[in-house]
Amino acid sequence: MSTGIFLDAMTPRAGKTLIALGLTDSLIRRADSVGYFRPVFETDSVDTDPRIRLMRETFDLDSASARGGVSLARCRELLASGDLNELVNISLSIYSEMSQQFDVVVVDGTDLLAHNAATAEFDMNARLANNMGCSVLAVISAAEAGSVENIVNSVEVTRAELHAAKTDLLGIIVNRVDPEMASEVEERVPAGRRGGHVYVVPETPAISQPTVAEVVHELDLEADGVEVSLDRDIQAVKVAAMTVGNFLEQMADGDFVITPADRSDVVMATLASALSPSFPVPSGVLLSGDLHVNAATQALISAAPFPILRTSGDTFSAAQAVGSVHGELRAGAPRKIAAAMGEWSKTVDEKELLGRLDLPRPASMTPLRFLHELIEKARSNRRRVVLPEGEDIRILRAAEIIVRRDFCDVTILGRASKVRELAQSEGIDLGFVDGENPGRGKVRLIDPETSPLRDEYAAEYAKLRAHKGVEIEQAKERMLDGSYFGTMMVQLGHVDGMVSGAAHTTANTIRPALEFVKTKEGVKIVSSVFFMLLEDRALVYGDCAVNPNPDAAQLADIAKASADTARQFGVDPKVAMLSYSTGGSGSGQDVDRVREATDIVRASAPNFEVEGPIQYDAATNASVAKSKLPDSQVAGHATVFVFPDLNTGNNTYKAVQQSSGAVAVGPVLQGLRKPVNDLSRGCTVDDIVNTVAITAIQAQEDHGKP
């Protein structure tokens, strides 16, 4: 039987989108199938509704999984006429269909947009929730509450109203609370009748502040010059109506500057400021009025590292219009989505909240659930990860997502002035700090060339490599290499893991670790696995990236390490030692090598099932397994696949990825004493975020799990 959760806004502008995102993310990790239904959508078409689009894109939901009932315009007509039967009947019909298809359905009620009919909307939402049999999660906005006392009263009124409406109240979330009041609100808001905690979510500037993209969209502005990212937070709006010198003294990073189009002096001053490492960089410049821009200024605009926009309106009107734009959570805004997910995870105990429901236990592992669980596992025991390639824009964008998701602490290496300049010019907010303890929400930035740690690291490297004739001057030179500096941070425990390779080869990433981090006790080689995320399960493939032709002992090492990695990430290891022959049916050097490796694994008394030699079809297909190896505990049910050589493994994982649509996550390095992981040079921002999460989880093993 399906579980329904009705999100009910009890006040206008409650910020319910953040709650919908966080709740759905939590449910996806706890149920096999989750649907999203919005009985009243904002636009003329379901497919263009901003929140439905957001849910579809964020959680990879198709049109049958994220649906709408009637348009907002039609809803207002029904509210005005006092006849809601059409809305109720349509909504119940759609919900009934979805409840047959999904374990959980999130029903997103109206946002009290019709201010003159708030009571009617409340009654409508309560009626819908009751008819659907949904538990209600009520959302209150504290943005205009004014005092803690008012917030407490709003919670009590909400409880009374929902009780009077005979709804099944799952819980209450007070959203958009002034951060300075949040702790007092937490203390003073009483628990519900069932003892349920009331969760308090602070106002999040990264969400509520508009971006340049939102201003462009809302005001239909024109962009001048080169194509640059519009996904930049607007920290404040500044009108340049004074002399350039005075204006520059007032400008700060992230300011959105509005100035008449003929003020070429202001345009050139903002450009000069952006290109100077010690001056602020604006989020954008808006040129107002139908005024001529001279040729020299236009040429400079083409090189601007921030958006330059045009409007025909006057400066005053432009400032008013920009000031009226509010930040929203929308599809295609990964930074805001990351901030919302991070805030939900920090403030809502999802285990306690969802523990109030009788949710079915998931029977399968989808790619989305696996990737989202990575973040939560990393957050459960926070670790520190260093990224040595700070002058790669993908690394900086990934670091910003990680900070906003708030699941580990990040250190970035690179030339400090270059890294700061790159982040500023791209509108990336990392809150760079120096020192040992940057604090949550901040990124530690270290320049290996100027860092006082360089001498300490060089001395340690010279000591560890003295048997190879390495002297201190050579060691100091080596520590200018980010991979060596970062790996030494891992070695000395200054961070817990490293992720590199976006701009360097695999050898460049692994070599320092092989030189002085070394392998775990009892492990002879470093190897790798890919997590192959199929539609309903996660498989582990090893080794597809590191060892070209492992011998029998090395294959056994790879099998044991791969089983350990699988278990660490929630995959029950049933290991298949792959060959072109199954059981005793074949012979030859390659088959004998796999057979010997299997014997070595069995002789070492592992805590997992292993079978080999075995062909891929016998390892995965139960009917084939029944005819070839009927007594095997692994055949037909394998979850970990050890390939006989790199050629076979690399080609197989790519073939499966391309032919089945599987998501390949990796390579994940294994066997080292401390975690170091490699990125592909073609990696995406999401790849980097996932690899950092994997590295943080691997590091938890060294420090003990919570």
Side-chain angles (χ1 to χ4, degrees), residues 645-656:
D645 54 59
L646 182 60
N647 183 52
T648 306
N650 192 271
N651 279 295
T652 301
Y653 104 76
K654 288 180 178 177
V656 172

Side-chain angles (χ1 to χ4, degrees), residues 429-448:
D429 180 15
L430 290 172
F432 285 127
V433 296
D434 300 315
E436 282 297 307
N437 298 301
R440 294 176 76 148
K442 303 291 184 180
V443 172
R444 181 167 52 160
L445 175 60
I446 296 178
D447 185 339

